[in-house]
Amino acid sequence: SAVISQKPSRDICQRGTSLTIQCQVDSQVTMMFWYRQQPGQSLTLIATANQGSEATYESGFVIDKFPISRPNLTFSTLTVSNMSPEDSSIYLCSVIPGLAGVNEQFFGPGTRLTVL
Amino acid sequence: AQTVTQSQPEMSVQEAETVTLSCTYDTSESDYYLFWYKQPPSRQMILVIRQEAYKQQNATENRFSVNFQKAAKSFSLKISDSQLGDAAMYFCAYRSLPYSGGGADGLTFGKGTHLIIQP
Protein backbone atom coordinates (compact mmCIF):
# COMPACT_ATOMS: atom_id res chain seq x y z
CA SER A 1 0.00 0.00 0.00
CA ALA A 2 0.99 3.67 -0.06
CA VAL A 3 0.17 6.64 2.12
CA ILE A 4 0.05 9.92 0.26
CA SER A 5 0.00 13.43 1.69
CA GLN A 6 -0.67 16.62 -0.21
CA LYS A 7 0.02 20.24 0.64
CA PRO A 8 -1.87 22.49 0.80
CA SER A 9 -5.17 20.76 1.49
CA ARG A 10 -7.00 23.79 0.16
CA ASP A 11 -6.29 27.28 -1.05
CA ILE A 12 -8.05 30.33 -2.38
CA CYS A 13 -6.07 32.19 -5.02
CA GLN A 14 -6.40 35.28 -7.16
CA ARG A 15 -6.73 35.16 -10.91
CA GLY A 16 -3.38 35.34 -12.72
CA THR A 17 -1.31 33.87 -9.90
CA SER A 18 0.26 30.40 -9.63
CA LEU A 19 0.03 27.68 -7.00
CA THR A 20 2.35 24.74 -6.44
CA ILE A 21 0.90 21.58 -4.91
CA GLN A 22 3.18 19.08 -3.23
CA CYS A 23 2.72 15.32 -3.11
CA GLN A 24 4.69 13.15 -0.70
CA VAL A 25 4.52 9.34 -0.63
CA ASP A 26 5.65 7.20 2.29
CA SER A 27 7.48 4.74 0.02
CA GLN A 28 9.31 4.75 -3.29
CA VAL A 29 6.96 4.36 -6.24
CA THR A 30 7.60 4.23 -9.95
CA MET A 31 4.19 5.30 -11.17
CA MET A 32 2.88 8.71 -10.07
CA PHE A 33 0.03 10.68 -11.60
CA TRP A 34 -1.83 13.96 -11.25
CA TYR A 35 -5.61 14.15 -11.70
CA ARG A 36 -8.11 17.00 -11.74
CA GLN A 37 -11.66 16.73 -10.43
CA GLN A 38 -13.78 19.70 -11.38
CA PRO A 39 -16.81 20.50 -9.18
CA GLY A 40 -19.33 17.68 -9.34
CA GLN A 41 -17.36 15.91 -12.03
CA SER A 42 -15.25 12.82 -12.45
CA LEU A 43 -11.46 12.57 -12.31
CA THR A 44 -9.43 13.47 -15.37
CA LEU A 45 -5.79 12.47 -15.78
CA ILE A 46 -3.55 15.51 -16.25
CA ALA A 47 -0.19 13.82 -16.60
CA THR A 48 2.11 11.02 -15.58
CA ALA A 49 5.00 12.34 -13.48
CA ASN A 50 8.21 10.66 -14.60
CA GLN A 51 11.21 10.58 -12.29
CA GLY A 52 14.20 12.24 -13.87
CA SER A 53 12.47 13.22 -17.10
CA GLU A 54 9.65 15.40 -18.40
CA ALA A 55 6.10 14.51 -17.47
CA THR A 56 3.80 12.89 -20.01
CA TYR A 57 0.73 15.06 -20.52
CA GLU A 58 -2.73 13.98 -21.61
CA SER A 59 -4.60 15.64 -24.41
CA GLY A 60 -5.81 19.07 -23.39
CA PHE A 61 -3.11 19.64 -20.77
CA VAL A 62 0.18 21.42 -21.49
CA ILE A 63 3.42 21.86 -19.62
CA ASP A 64 3.27 25.65 -19.63
CA LYS A 65 -0.02 25.58 -17.73
CA PHE A 66 0.69 22.59 -15.48
CA PRO A 67 4.44 22.20 -14.96
CA ILE A 68 5.31 19.07 -13.00
CA SER A 69 8.48 18.12 -11.17
CA ARG A 70 9.48 14.64 -9.97
CA PRO A 71 12.91 14.92 -8.36
CA ASN A 72 12.80 11.47 -6.73
CA LEU A 73 10.64 8.39 -6.24
CA THR A 74 8.68 9.75 -3.27
CA PHE A 75 7.90 13.35 -4.19
CA SER A 76 6.29 15.39 -6.94
CA THR A 77 4.89 18.86 -7.44
CA LEU A 78 2.18 20.19 -9.73
CA THR A 79 1.99 23.91 -10.46
CA VAL A 80 -1.18 25.50 -11.73
CA SER A 81 0.03 28.59 -13.60
CA ASN A 82 -1.68 31.84 -14.50
CA MET A 83 -4.86 30.68 -12.83
CA SER A 84 -8.39 31.52 -13.91
CA PRO A 85 -11.71 30.64 -12.23
CA GLU A 86 -11.98 27.65 -14.60
CA ASP A 87 -9.02 26.10 -12.76
CA SER A 88 -11.09 25.81 -9.59
CA SER A 89 -10.98 22.07 -8.93
CA ILE A 90 -9.67 19.37 -6.66
CA TYR A 91 -6.22 18.21 -7.69
CA LEU A 92 -5.25 14.70 -6.68
CA CYS A 93 -1.92 12.95 -6.63
CA SER A 94 -2.01 9.22 -7.25
CA VAL A 95 0.52 6.37 -7.22
CA ILE A 96 0.78 2.70 -8.08
CA PRO A 97 3.20 0.75 -5.89
CA GLY A 98 5.07 -1.60 -8.16
CA LEU A 99 3.94 -2.20 -11.71
CA ALA A 100 0.60 -1.01 -13.07
CA GLY A 101 -1.70 -3.65 -14.51
CA VAL A 102 -4.34 -4.77 -12.07
CA ASN A 103 -2.54 -3.24 -9.10
CA GLU A 104 -4.45 -0.81 -6.94
CA GLN A 105 -3.91 2.87 -7.56
CA PHE A 106 -3.78 4.91 -4.36
CA PHE A 107 -4.95 8.50 -4.18
CA GLY A 108 -3.97 11.40 -2.00
CA PRO A 109 -6.59 13.41 -0.09
CA GLY A 110 -6.63 16.09 -2.78
CA THR A 111 -6.03 19.83 -2.86
CA ARG A 112 -9.15 21.94 -3.19
CA LEU A 113 -8.32 25.04 -5.23
CA THR A 114 -10.65 28.01 -5.58
CA VAL A 115 -9.69 30.79 -7.99
CA LEU A 116 -11.40 34.14 -7.60
CA ALA B 1 -8.86 6.47 -26.79
CA GLN B 2 -10.97 4.62 -24.31
CA THR B 3 -14.21 5.97 -22.88
CA VAL B 4 -16.18 4.90 -19.82
CA THR B 5 -19.91 5.59 -19.48
CA GLN B 6 -21.98 5.50 -16.34
CA SER B 7 -25.57 6.20 -17.35
CA GLN B 8 -27.02 6.52 -13.84
CA PRO B 9 -26.14 9.89 -12.27
CA GLU B 10 -27.89 8.85 -9.06
CA MET B 11 -29.28 5.68 -7.52
CA SER B 12 -31.21 5.14 -4.31
CA VAL B 13 -31.63 1.90 -2.36
CA GLN B 14 -33.12 0.86 0.94
CA GLU B 15 -30.72 -0.28 3.61
CA ALA B 16 -30.16 -4.09 3.44
CA GLU B 17 -31.38 -4.24 -0.16
CA THR B 18 -29.34 -4.96 -3.29
CA VAL B 19 -28.42 -2.37 -5.91
CA THR B 20 -26.65 -2.61 -9.26
CA LEU B 21 -24.63 0.23 -10.77
CA SER B 22 -24.08 0.20 -14.52
CA CYS B 23 -20.90 0.83 -16.46
CA THR B 24 -20.09 0.42 -20.13
CA TYR B 25 -16.85 1.19 -21.88
CA ASP B 26 -15.50 1.52 -25.36
CA THR B 27 -12.10 0.17 -26.37
CA SER B 28 -10.33 -1.44 -29.28
CA GLU B 29 -7.94 -3.25 -26.95
CA SER B 30 -8.37 -6.94 -26.31
CA ASP B 31 -6.87 -6.94 -22.83
CA TYR B 32 -7.20 -4.38 -20.08
CA TYR B 33 -8.23 -3.85 -16.47
CA LEU B 34 -11.44 -2.53 -14.93
CA PHE B 35 -12.03 -1.05 -11.51
CA TRP B 36 -14.75 0.34 -9.31
CA TYR B 37 -13.73 3.13 -6.93
CA LYS B 38 -15.79 4.70 -4.17
CA GLN B 39 -15.52 8.36 -3.14
CA PRO B 40 -17.36 9.21 0.10
CA PRO B 41 -17.90 12.82 1.21
CA SER B 42 -14.38 12.78 2.67
CA ARG B 43 -13.18 12.81 -1.00
CA GLN B 44 -10.81 9.91 -0.37
CA MET B 45 -10.80 7.50 -3.32
CA ILE B 46 -11.19 3.89 -2.18
CA LEU B 47 -10.80 0.82 -4.39
CA VAL B 48 -13.89 -1.39 -4.21
CA ILE B 49 -13.15 -4.15 -6.71
CA ARG B 50 -11.04 -4.91 -9.78
CA GLN B 51 -11.26 -7.21 -12.78
CA GLU B 52 -8.73 -8.41 -15.33
CA ALA B 53 -10.38 -8.63 -18.75
CA TYR B 54 -8.77 -11.95 -19.61
CA LYS B 55 -10.44 -13.59 -16.60
CA GLN B 56 -13.90 -14.90 -17.33
CA GLN B 57 -14.79 -15.31 -13.68
CA ASN B 58 -16.48 -12.30 -12.15
CA ALA B 59 -14.61 -10.67 -9.27
CA THR B 60 -16.15 -10.70 -5.79
CA GLU B 61 -15.18 -8.84 -2.62
CA ASN B 62 -17.49 -9.60 0.29
CA ARG B 63 -20.79 -7.78 -0.43
CA PHE B 64 -19.49 -6.39 -3.73
CA SER B 65 -19.48 -8.30 -6.99
CA VAL B 66 -19.30 -7.47 -10.65
CA ASN B 67 -21.03 -8.72 -13.76
CA PHE B 68 -18.36 -8.49 -16.44
CA GLN B 69 -19.63 -9.00 -19.99
CA LYS B 70 -16.60 -8.57 -22.25
CA ALA B 71 -18.43 -8.89 -25.55
CA ALA B 72 -20.96 -6.30 -24.49
CA LYS B 73 -18.23 -4.14 -22.90
CA SER B 74 -20.24 -3.97 -19.71
CA PHE B 75 -18.94 -3.95 -16.13
CA SER B 76 -21.72 -3.51 -13.57
CA LEU B 77 -21.27 -3.44 -9.80
CA LYS B 78 -23.68 -5.21 -7.47
CA ILE B 79 -23.83 -4.22 -3.82
CA SER B 80 -25.66 -6.70 -1.62
CA ASP B 81 -27.06 -5.98 1.83
CA SER B 82 -26.53 -2.23 1.37
CA GLN B 83 -25.27 -0.37 4.41
CA LEU B 84 -25.37 3.31 5.32
CA GLY B 85 -21.60 3.44 4.94
CA ASP B 86 -21.94 2.50 1.28
CA ALA B 87 -23.34 5.95 0.49
CA ALA B 88 -20.83 7.62 -1.83
CA MET B 89 -19.97 8.44 -5.43
CA TYR B 90 -18.99 5.32 -7.33
CA PHE B 91 -16.67 5.57 -10.29
CA CYS B 92 -16.03 2.92 -12.91
CA ALA B 93 -12.50 3.07 -14.34
CA TYR B 94 -10.46 1.53 -17.15
CA ARG B 95 -6.73 0.92 -17.46
CA SER B 96 -4.82 -0.29 -20.51
CA LEU B 97 -2.07 -2.89 -20.38
CA PRO B 98 1.25 -1.56 -19.09
CA TYR B 99 3.53 0.27 -21.47
CA SER B 100 0.81 0.75 -24.09
CA GLY B 101 1.94 4.36 -24.45
CA GLY B 102 1.08 7.85 -23.13
CA GLY B 103 -0.86 7.70 -19.88
CA ALA B 104 -1.81 4.08 -20.40
CA ASP B 105 -1.02 3.25 -16.82
CA GLY B 106 -3.36 5.94 -15.57
CA LEU B 107 -7.08 5.40 -15.12
CA THR B 108 -9.90 6.59 -17.36
CA PHE B 109 -12.94 7.28 -15.20
CA GLY B 110 -16.66 7.41 -15.88
CA LYS B 111 -18.71 10.37 -14.66
CA GLY B 112 -19.79 8.54 -11.54
CA THR B 113 -23.01 7.41 -9.87
CA HIS B 114 -24.16 8.98 -6.63
CA LEU B 115 -25.47 6.18 -4.41
CA ILE B 116 -27.97 7.09 -1.70
CA ILE B 117 -28.83 4.63 1.04
CA GLN B 118 -32.28 5.06 2.56
CA PRO B 119 -32.46 3.97 6.23
Side-chain angles (χ1 to χ4, degrees):
Chain A
S1 67
V3 177
I4 305 168
S5 59
Q6 287 186 231
K7 289 181 182 179
S9 59
R10 59 175 62 219
D11 206 342
I12 300 173
C13 300
Q14 295 298 318
R15 177 196 302 259
T17 63
S18 297
L19 176 71
T20 295
I21 302 167
Q22 298 180 2
C23 175
Q24 181 72 53
V25 190
D26 69 340
S27 58
Q28 293 187 339
V29 293
T30 304
M31 311 296 296
M32 186 178 279
F33 309 90
W34 286 98
Y35 287 83
R36 181 176 73 182
Q37 187 173 25
Q38 294 177 300
Q41 302 296 315
S42 184
L43 285 75
T44 300
L45 180 63
I46 297 172
T48 302
N50 301 308
Q51 194 268 326
S53 64
E54 196 170 278
T56 304
Y57 289 85
E58 296 301 298
S59 176
F61 298 95
V62 295
I63 188 171
D64 290 346
K65 176 67 176 177
F66 298 101
I68 289 171
S69 78
R70 178 93 190 269
N72 56 52
L73 293 177
T74 64
F75 185 79
S76 178
T77 67
L78 168 74
T79 299
V80 186
S81 303
N82 188 25
M83 288 183 285
S84 67
E86 291 71 36
D87 294 319
S88 296
S89 295
I90 298 170
Y91 292 86
L92 297 103
C93 175
S94 178
V95 304
I96 306 175
L99 295 176
V102 76
N103 286 334
E104 180 174 356
Q105 189 161 335
F106 293 88
F107 289 83
T111 295
R112 183 184 292 274
L113 170 62
T114 302
V115 184
L116 303 177
Chain B
Q2 295 77 33
T3 58
V4 178
T5 301
Q6 293 180 249
S7 59
Q8 305 154 318
E10 186 173 281
M11 292 283 285
S12 181
V13 64
Q14 291 289 128
E15 195 175 1
E17 296 294 307
T18 296
V19 64
T20 298
L21 308 184
S22 301
C23 172
T24 58
Y25 56 93
D26 186 29
T27 183
S28 59
E29 299 174 336
S30 58
D31 213 356
Y32 43 86
Y33 308 98
L34 297 166
F35 304 82
W36 278 97
Y37 274 85
K38 166 185 175 181
Q39 188 179 43
S42 67
R43 292 202 319 253
Q44 184 63 52
M45 294 289 285
I46 301 166
L47 177 67
V48 175
I49 200 166
R50 56 189 131 180
Q51 175 85 40
E52 292 142 291
Y54 69 86
K55 288 188 176 179
Q56 293 185 343
Q57 186 173 6
N58 289 325
T60 299
E61 288 285 345
N62 302 314
R63 297 183 295 107
F64 299 88
S65 62
V66 298
N67 183 4
F68 173 48
Q69 301 289 329
K70 190 172 183 180
K73 296 179 182 175
S74 171
F75 184 60
S76 61
L77 174 70
K78 184 172 83 171
I79 306 173
S80 303
D81 184 25
S82 297
Q83 300 175 0
L84 294 177
D86 295 333
M89 283 293 291
Y90 284 80
F91 294 99
C92 180
Y94 176 106
R95 179 190 289 150
S96 298
L97 287 181
Y99 314 119
S100 300
D105 295 321
L107 293 167
T108 299
F109 286 91
K111 291 186 180 298
T113 297
H114 181 209
L115 179 63
I116 298 168
I117 310 295
Q118 305 278 6

